[in-house]
Amino acid sequence: MALHGGQFTRMRIPVETFHLDNGLFVTLSEDHTAPIVAVNLWYHVGSANERAGRTGFAHLFEHMLFQGSAHVGVNEHFELIQRAGGTLNGSTWLERTNYFETVPSNELALALWLEADRMGELLPAMTQEKLDNQRDVVKNERRWAVDNQPYGTMLEKMQELVFPPSHPFQHSLIGSMEDLSAASLDDIAQFFTTYYTPDNAVLSIAGDFDSEEARKLVTKYFGPIPKGKGKPPLPPMNLPPVFGGWLREVVQDNVSLPRLFMAFRSPIFGSEEYYDASVASAILGMRKGSRLHRSLVRERQIAADAGAFTFDLAKGTDLMVVDVTARPEVSVAQLEEEVDREIELVYREGVAESEVKRAIALIETDLVVSLQSAGERADRLSMFATYFNQPGLINEQADRYRSVTTERVNDLISERLGEDNRASLLYVPKEGVETESVLAAAGTG
Amino acid sequence: MATTLRPKPGEARSYQFPDFRDEKLPGGIRLVTAPVVKLPLATVLVIVDAGSTSDPAGEEGVAALTAGTLLEGSTRFDGAELAEKFEQLGTSVESGADWDSAFIKITTVSDKLEDATRLLGEAISSPIFPEREVERLKAERLAEILQLETEPRGLADEKFSEFLYTPDSRYSKPDEGTAESVRALSRKDVDEFYRARYRTGSTTVILAGDISTDASRALINGAFQNWPSGAGRSQSLVAAARTPGRSIHVVNKPEAPQSELRVGHIGLPRNHPDFFPTLLMNAVLGGLFGSRINLNLREAHGYTYGASSFYDWRRGPGPFVVSTAVQSEVTAAALREILVEIDRIRSERISEDELSLARDYLDRVFPIRYETTAAIASALATLVIYDLPTDYYGSYRRNIRAVTADRVLRAAKAHLHPDQLQTVMVGDAQVIADSVADLNLGELRIDGS
């Protein structure tokens, strides 16, 4: 194996691409600084593709991919990768599902072979017993991460509040217990045949490998897998840029402190305006110098914590979310008033240039930090290839952020942070707080 | 056979942990530098021998509060100004205290490294611990403590430590302090703690990333020129068990859908000579995804999303704990399986297959652990904090490979103590209390409504 080059030139990483005849999109990025290689697969399917009555299925299916395939025994995928000295996992999101491993570079073939075996021949290994077992595991994952965790229902409550009924992003990602119980082996077969096809996937390899060698291995293992027959189109995803009002929901939950999540529809991930929104979000809630932290945590001392983030959805609409947890002595009404005032202030007066600079400087450092890890590089290559067919966008992120101006951020804020585009999801401690008075205090009746 | 399809590994490329230099600066600070050329980034990690085990009795949480307030105001800038200055440089300071040390850390792009490091050195050499900020951070800690009441994972961890160690052990209380101890802390306590502990003789600065050793030395000599000189105060640690035999505690959470379980006993100090065999033994027992406990509870029974065990390695003997969350109805059944696995690994030699899985994993995953400047800096901090030999990382993989099934069995017999197991369950007492009674886990106590 030739071990040369691969030196990153400041913040640019090398990117090569090719397609197999069966439609598999492959991206490669060499770096020989350590004998490590990351393999990462994105399937362009997520909870948005689930049919009615099968919420949680995309994620349950992700679990089944670790239960063996034609030539791999149950749990053997984990064992073989760990024996090789690798780390691995998978994750499911609204728009995609990914599977990834980082291994010593002399084990690249093993990682590719394992991924190809389950892409090509998963179904012979599927049994009712395995499905029942993983269904129990996933139900316990739901209990652990959602039901028995304070604010654990935030994602599903937020999806329900901000997306219209029947929108593909509206239903729960982890799924309901009923729907998980209903999932069958037939569903597995159908989902696999429809979505787990080479032409609906991106394979990325980042780290210490030889490009020629990697192409040969990919062609050998993935080449024989037949192309899919196409997937059903998603229902229309597009939504108006604003909610058209102020949506509100109050959740009485087993929590100690009130916490307000306020969401705004924002430009989809990858659009030019997305970067303005991302900077606006960082100005509001990234780190201690952000507006919300400075004002609500440090100066006014009404919040135990404050932040903001974007969902980074590439279809329909993205969401920008402000997240503020009250201090114990602060009432629910006061929490809402204080957050509203901050949002109103930035909406009316906009932000200053120094705030934009601070946000971009922090984001840029985070970008470089993330490129250190082969797994992160491979994941981002897959992401840009899956969403936009352009893995090379990985190298353009810093420039896109640098081109954001104060004027652009302020335009975004006046378009998206008004009262016609707010959704408040408010968690209040179960005992002693009346929902009606909370709503009355918030002025909605 | 289908397995013949499986690709064989190629020849492994050699890997070495980054070269580093360890020296004493003229002012007395210890400097460890690891130049790594990959991306234009560097991490500066300052560690001070002022962790939570240095908290004076009754002042539990002062180490964490001191580290937390360090960047909340200096003789030149207030806390908001400091945050703004660092963040304009694209970085922010993380500071805190764990059991064995206080840490202050930044990661910056190369061309901001000098400015950020100078600012850091100046700020933490001249903190003024404003009353208002000390009180604010105390209130934030109290909010965190309140939140634990409804957060079963954190609550289970905390209760486990409380039941494990005798009340006069620092390990029996949360590292950031209890509601009672935090309320009692004052600005003066913080200031005194800083003056007694933050000294050249107790401080190490670690630089990893895109900077040479010479440049690092010049930078730190300048940035830390006003760091208080002298030796830091030190303090001994009590880490005795609270209960001689087994006992079991239920923290009642009516209608909880799951029980958070913690089962274990006092473990070993980090410098114990059996570190490597114990590490491997634990990997087989509950450390890996393919460990006995996880495969049993998750894959064979579907009781849980995950189950694991670990030794919390500290200077003193930290806990050994098996940790999982199971559906309430199967709590006793899951607990029984955990006991079975602890007994089994003590009574018979692990198979060659299990040994090689754990050994190969720990050996071969080594390079993957040090991909980032922050990970390299943190590995170097481990050397300093636990006073490990300079060639610790050079010989790590050899030491892993030298562990045999016999040594694992000896470690299991010597360092797992079924007769001392403490069990904590945060869950619905009505559903779980009776069913666990016949497991012989000692006296059962139920807390809460």
Side-chain angles (χ1 to χ4, degrees):
Chain A
M1 202 188 280
L3 301 172
H4 53 77
Q7 186 69 250
F8 300 143
T9 50
R10 301 307 283 178
M11 277 176 54
R12 290 191 84 79
I13 68 166
V15 181
E16 275 182 76
T17 64
F18 65 98
H19 281 85
L20 294 185
D21 290 343
N22 58 19
L24 182 68
F25 189 178
V26 185
T27 84
L28 306 175
S29 179
E30 279 185 69
D31 158 41
H32 301 290
T33 48
I36 293 168
V37 68
V39 169
N40 177 293
L41 262 164
W42 274 43
Y43 290 94
H44 206 170
V45 56
S47 63
N49 302 86
E50 288 159 351
R51 65 180 171 96
R54 288 294 180 276
T55 62
F57 190 77
H59 169 247
L60 174 61
F61 190 89
E62 177 221 310
H63 276 243
M64 296 307 291
L65 247 73
F66 292 92
Q67 294 297 307
S69 46
H71 306 103
V72 180
V74 60
N75 287 318
E76 214 182 2
H77 189 104
F78 253 95
E79 188 189 325
L80 289 170
I81 292 293
Q82 292 204 317
R83 203 175 269 286
T87 58
L88 69 160
N89 216 331
S91 78
T92 308
W93 181 231
L94 308 187
E95 303 178 78
R96 57 86 186 144
T97 311
N98 64 359
Y99 300 87
F100 44 92
E101 37 271 308
T102 300
V103 292
S105 46
N106 62 322
E107 296 280 11
L108 173 62
L110 174 70
L112 292 172
W113 176 78
L114 282 166
E115 290 296 356
D117 203 57
R118 60 187 181 179
M119 183 192 283
E121 297 178 81
L122 177 78
L123 295 180
M126 293 295 100
T127 65
Q128 189 63 44
E129 196 192 347
K130 289 179 183 175
L131 175 59
D132 291 342
N133 166 261
Q134 288 305 306
R135 192 199 319 271
D136 284 344
V137 170
V138 169
K139 285 181 174 178
N140 273 310
E141 183 176 356
R142 184 190 162 91
R143 291 182 188 103
W144 182 73
V146 178
D147 298 330
N148 203 26
Q149 190 59 20
Y151 320 106
T153 54
M154 188 284 263
L155 179 61
E156 67 184 12
K157 297 273 184 203
M158 183 62 86
Q159 287 175 262
E160 220 175 279
L161 176 65
V162 303
F163 291 105
S166 84
H167 190 281
F169 290 160
Q170 200 254 358
H171 67 265
S172 168
L173 172 75
I174 188 89
S176 70
M177 291 294 190
E178 297 72 36
D179 288 358
L180 289 169
S181 295
S184 69
L185 280 179
D186 282 349
D187 292 322
I188 298 274
Q190 200 194 350
F191 204 76
F192 177 75
T193 317
T194 311
Y195 296 109
Y196 278 70
T197 62
D199 48 322
N200 194 40
V202 171
L203 168 66
S204 298
I205 306 175
D208 178 32
F209 61 91
D210 175 79
S211 165
E212 281 313 302
E213 176 85 20
R215 279 168 194 261
K216 272 187 218 150
L217 289 170
V218 169
T219 309
K220 175 177 168 191
Y221 294 129
F222 290 87
I225 302 172
K227 194 181 175 107
K229 297 193 174 69
K231 56 180 179 180
L234 284 166
M237 307 278 283
N238 286 348
L239 291 166
V242 294
F243 294 124
W246 195 329
L247 313 177
R248 291 171 194 272
E249 188 181 350
V250 177
V251 183
Q252 306 239 1
D253 205 0
N254 190 21
V255 297
S256 303
L257 295 173
R259 182 169 173 183
L260 174 62
F261 296 93
M262 191 188 284
F264 314 87
R265 275 190 191 155
S266 63
I268 52 169
F269 181 64
S271 63
E272 187 169 312
E273 297 79 16
Y274 164 81
Y275 296 90
D276 307 337
S278 177
V279 170
S281 160
I283 289 171
L284 281 172
M286 187 179 191
R287 316 269 173 88
K288 289 184 183 167
S290 66
R291 275 184 170 236
L292 295 173
H293 196 279
R294 210 173 53 214
S295 166
L296 302 180
V297 178
R298 180 186 292 280
E299 286 164 18
R300 301 183 59 77
Q301 304 201 12
I302 66 103
D305 207 357
F309 58 93
T310 53
F311 268 58
D312 294 356
L313 299 170
K315 289 190 209 86
T317 178
D318 195 17
L319 295 169
M320 185 198 300
V321 181
V322 157
D323 169 8
V324 183
T325 307
R327 284 258 291 253
E329 66 281 9
V330 169
S331 73
V332 170
Q334 196 187 351
L335 170 68
E336 284 209 291
E337 273 164 34
E338 298 270 0
V339 175
D340 291 355
R341 215 199 30 244
E342 286 301 320
I343 299 302
E344 209 41 46
L345 184 69
V346 73
Y347 176 64
R348 272 187 280 105
E349 297 179 10
V351 299
E353 191 174 354
S354 64
E355 293 178 282
V356 175
K357 281 192 169 151
R358 183 198 72 96
I360 293 175
L362 285 173
I363 291 169
E364 266 196 67
T365 305
D366 280 4
L367 281 172
V368 193
V369 164
S370 71
L371 293 179
Q372 293 183 97
S373 130
E376 271 290 339
R377 292 196 298 278
D379 194 58
R380 283 168 193 237
L381 287 166
S382 292
M383 174 178 74
F384 288 117
T386 301
Y387 289 160
F388 313 113
N389 261 314
Q390 293 177 66
L393 286 173
I394 195 172
N395 285 323
E396 289 172 31
Q397 297 308 300
D399 286 343
R400 297 234 170 163
Y401 276 106
R402 275 189 217 119
S403 71
V404 173
T405 62
T406 309
E407 198 189 351
R408 275 173 53 181
V409 174
N410 284 331
D411 285 350
L412 182 283
I413 286 172
S414 50
E415 280 161 30
R416 303 291 188 137
L417 262 55
E419 288 198 24
D420 60 348
N421 191 34
R422 297 182 192 167
S424 296
L425 176 63
L426 178 64
Y427 280 81
V428 298
K430 217 163 27 187
E431 284 144 330
V433 183
E434 298 281 321
T435 309
E436 276 107 337
S437 66
V438 168
L439 288 172
T444 53
Chain B
M1 239 178 83
T3 49
T4 57
L5 297 169
R6 285 178 190 172
K8 299 263 183 299
E11 198 177 323
R13 245 186 81 200
S14 68
Y15 169 82
Q16 280 189 320
F17 184 80
D19 280 335
F20 61 92
R21 191 184 154 92
D22 187 347
E23 61 191 293
K24 226 12 166 211
L25 295 181
I29 287 179
R30 183 170 171 187
L31 175 71
V32 182
T33 45
V36 176
V37 185
K38 179 167 166 182
L39 281 160
L41 274 179
T43 295
V44 181
L45 172 60
V46 182
I47 50 173
V48 184
D49 196 351
S52 299
T53 50
S54 337
D55 287 343
E59 291 182 33
E60 291 83 10
V62 73
L65 186 60
T66 304
T69 326
L70 210 46
L71 276 302
E72 294 297 342
S74 68
T75 48
R76 269 179 76 198
F77 304 112
D78 69 25
E81 286 168 335
L82 281 171
E84 172 71 15
K85 282 181 180 297
F86 280 109
E87 292 177 15
Q88 287 290 353
L89 295 169
T91 187
S92 34
V93 185
E94 265 180 74
S95 67
D98 54 30
W99 289 112
D100 297 312
S101 76
F103 63 89
I104 304 110
K105 185 168 79 168
I106 52 172
T107 294
T108 80
V109 291
S110 305
D111 56 3
K112 302 291 183 341
L113 176 63
E114 268 198 49
D115 288 350
T117 307
R118 288 220 179 86
L119 182 60
L120 183 72
E122 185 203 309
I124 66 177
S125 300
S126 59
I128 57 166
F129 304 111
E131 178 95 41
R132 183 186 155 88
E133 303 301 328
V134 171
E135 291 304 317
R136 174 171 67 82
L137 291 191
K138 278 171 60 181
E140 287 171 20
R141 170 61 188 152
L142 293 171
E144 223 176 78
I145 292 170
L146 184 68
Q147 287 204 291
L148 217 54
E149 291 302 313
T150 51
E151 205 281 278
R153 299 177 207 169
L155 187 62
D157 290 337
E158 193 166 288
K159 291 288 175 187
F160 181 69
S161 300
E162 183 184 326
F163 294 130
L164 206 55
Y165 295 97
T166 163
D168 62 340
S169 167
R170 182 64 191 85
Y171 288 162
S172 71
K173 300 188 175 71
D175 53 354
E176 292 184 54
T178 63
E180 196 194 352
S181 70
V182 169
R183 256 187 223 112
L185 293 175
S186 67
R187 188 208 161 270
K188 187 165 156 278
D189 296 330
V190 169
D191 195 62
E192 276 176 8
F193 186 87
Y194 174 81
R195 283 175 212 295
R197 303 278 177 181
Y198 285 64
R199 298 288 182 140
T200 48
S202 55
T203 302
T204 303
V205 180
I206 298 164
L207 268 97
D210 181 21
I211 178 169
S212 72
T213 290
D214 287 346
S216 297
R217 190 183 301 120
L219 180 58
I220 300 305
N221 268 327
F224 285 79
Q225 58 186 321
N226 294 322
W227 196 244
S229 63
R233 186 196 295 158
S234 66
Q235 181 169 309
S236 64
L237 174 78
V238 177
R242 169 162 157 161
T243 314
R246 293 179 166 194
S247 68
I248 179 162
H249 307 264
V250 178
V251 180
N252 190 19
K253 293 285 166 185
E255 288 168 43
Q258 277 188 328
S259 309
E260 280 287 346
L261 292 184
R262 302 291 181 274
V263 186
H265 51 66
I266 295 176
L268 302 177
R270 179 61 181 81
N271 278 345
H272 196 283
D274 288 349
F275 175 78
F276 285 103
T278 306
L279 191 69
L280 256 92
M281 183 274 290
N282 183 66
V284 174
L285 178 65
L288 294 178
F289 182 87
S291 69
R292 291 177 172 188
I293 286 176
N294 192 55
L295 289 186
N296 183 337
L297 267 64
R298 172 178 156 131
E299 298 295 315
H301 286 106
Y303 290 157
T304 179
Y305 176 53
S308 61
S309 68
F310 72 101
Y311 283 80
D312 187 350
W313 299 103
R314 306 175 184 169
R315 276 188 190 152
F320 158 75
V321 62
V322 180
S323 175
T324 187
V326 300
Q327 201 180 334
S328 302
E329 293 73 23
V330 301
T331 304
L335 209 43
R336 181 174 294 115
E337 295 303 321
I338 292 170
L339 300 177
V340 164
E341 295 301 355
I342 291 175
D343 284 340
R344 188 158 72 97
I345 204 162
R346 292 182 79 250
S347 58
E348 56 194 66
R349 204 172 278 109
I350 60 170
S351 69
E352 267 312 308
D353 211 45
E354 289 178 304
L355 175 69
S356 66
L357 172 62
R359 205 167 55 185
D360 290 351
Y361 173 71
L362 289 168
D363 167 20
R364 294 171 183 165
V365 81
F366 187 76
I368 294 174
R369 293 193 165 151
Y370 309 111
E371 281 189 279
T372 65
T373 56
I376 294 162
S378 154
L380 293 168
T382 299
L383 283 189
V384 173
I385 294 166
Y386 301 106
D387 201 18
L388 298 169
T390 310
D391 76 335
Y392 176 75
Y393 292 108
S395 60
Y396 179 91
R397 302 174 77 172
R398 230 176 14 252
N399 281 320
I400 289 288
R401 297 219 71 85
V403 176
T404 60
D406 279 335
R407 288 179 68 195
V408 166
L409 183 62
R410 281 203 298 276
K413 283 185 198 280
H415 307 308
L416 289 173
H417 307 290
D419 57 328
Q420 294 170 22
L421 289 176
Q422 305 302 309
T423 303
V424 170
M425 301 188 289
V426 177
D428 189 339
Q430 236 185 343
V431 181
I432 59 185
D434 289 344
S435 65
V436 300
D438 61 348
L439 289 175
N440 191 24
L441 281 165
E443 191 190 339
L444 177 88
R445 295 191 200 100
I446 300 179
D447 298 359
S449 47

